[in-house]
Amino acid sequence: MTCGLFRSGKTTTLVARICWLVASGADPLSITAVTFNKRAADELGVRLASALEPFAPGVAPRVRTFHALGREILAEAGAPVKNLTDRAEVLRALNGGRALPPTEMRRLDDGFSRLKLDLGLDMAASERLLGAAEPPADTDLLHRFIAYERWLADRSAL
């Protein structure tokens, strides 16, 4: 247990399974590990590189998020992917070209997902919510979400 958070062992299980496959003769370059978000992909990639060093020095499986893998598959198939944009890049652009601190990035990433997926909000609904007689407590999140959605709309980006 770390910082009061319970860990379920998903990453440890993936690392162990991939190490077992490679130790059993699988080519690391034939393996793709898929995660839900970039933080998990980054962590898995680092842990895999370290764990696989004795089996395949300097060679690691492909680790992608669902979205990055989908984009990669589309690009390899010749589909246009120019308008598919990484959320971190948009937030960096909205922050004057500077990367956000990891805690702020996570807050916005989680918040935007909650607004879009859980609450079904888009830019117009978010603007109406801000204009309500009693706006929600986290108006900063809504303002940033609206700016994010406007940036995407202005560039026909997804």
Side-chain angles (χ1 to χ4, degrees):
M1 186 164 40
T2 305
C3 299
L5 299 175
F6 293 97
R7 301 210 180 257
S8 64
K10 294 181 296 291
T11 302
T12 300
T13 300
L14 282 171
V15 169
R17 175 71 172 149
I18 291 169
C19 284
W20 177 82
L21 287 169
V22 172
S24 298
D27 178 1
L29 299 177
S30 71
I31 299 170
T32 299
V34 183
T35 67
F36 185 71
N37 63 48
K38 187 160 177 18
R39 287 182 309 277
D42 292 344
E43 180 183 348
L44 180 58
V46 167
R47 289 175 61 181
L48 272 173
S50 175
L52 287 172
E53 191 63 29
F55 305 107
V59 180
R62 179 168 63 169
V63 179
R64 302 287 186 272
T65 63
F66 287 109
H67 292 104
L69 180 62
R71 184 174 208 254
E72 192 172 296
I73 291 168
L74 288 170
E76 288 173 2
V81 294
K82 182 178 162 189
N83 66 336
L84 300 178
T85 307
D86 183 79
R87 184 177 286 171
E89 292 173 22
V90 176
L91 292 174
R92 186 179 302 113
L94 291 171
N95 195 41
R98 295 178 318 276
L100 293 166
T103 54
E104 181 65 2
M105 186 64 170
R106 183 174 191 154
R107 181 183 84 85
L108 294 176
D109 194 40
D110 292 347
F112 289 3
S113 292
R114 191 179 73 248
L115 292 172
K116 286 183 104 152
L117 301 174
D118 297 345
L119 302 177
L121 296 179
D122 59 9
M123 183 170 50
S126 298
E127 287 172 335
R128 285 191 301 275
L129 196 55
L130 274 177
E134 291 196 33
D138 197 349
T139 57
D140 176 66
L141 178 65
L142 276 174
H143 282 290
R144 288 174 176 247
F145 178 68
I146 291 165
Y148 169 80
E149 290 291 313
R150 184 168 287 121
W151 190 97
L152 293 175
D154 290 347
R155 290 157 182 82
S156 298
L158 302 170

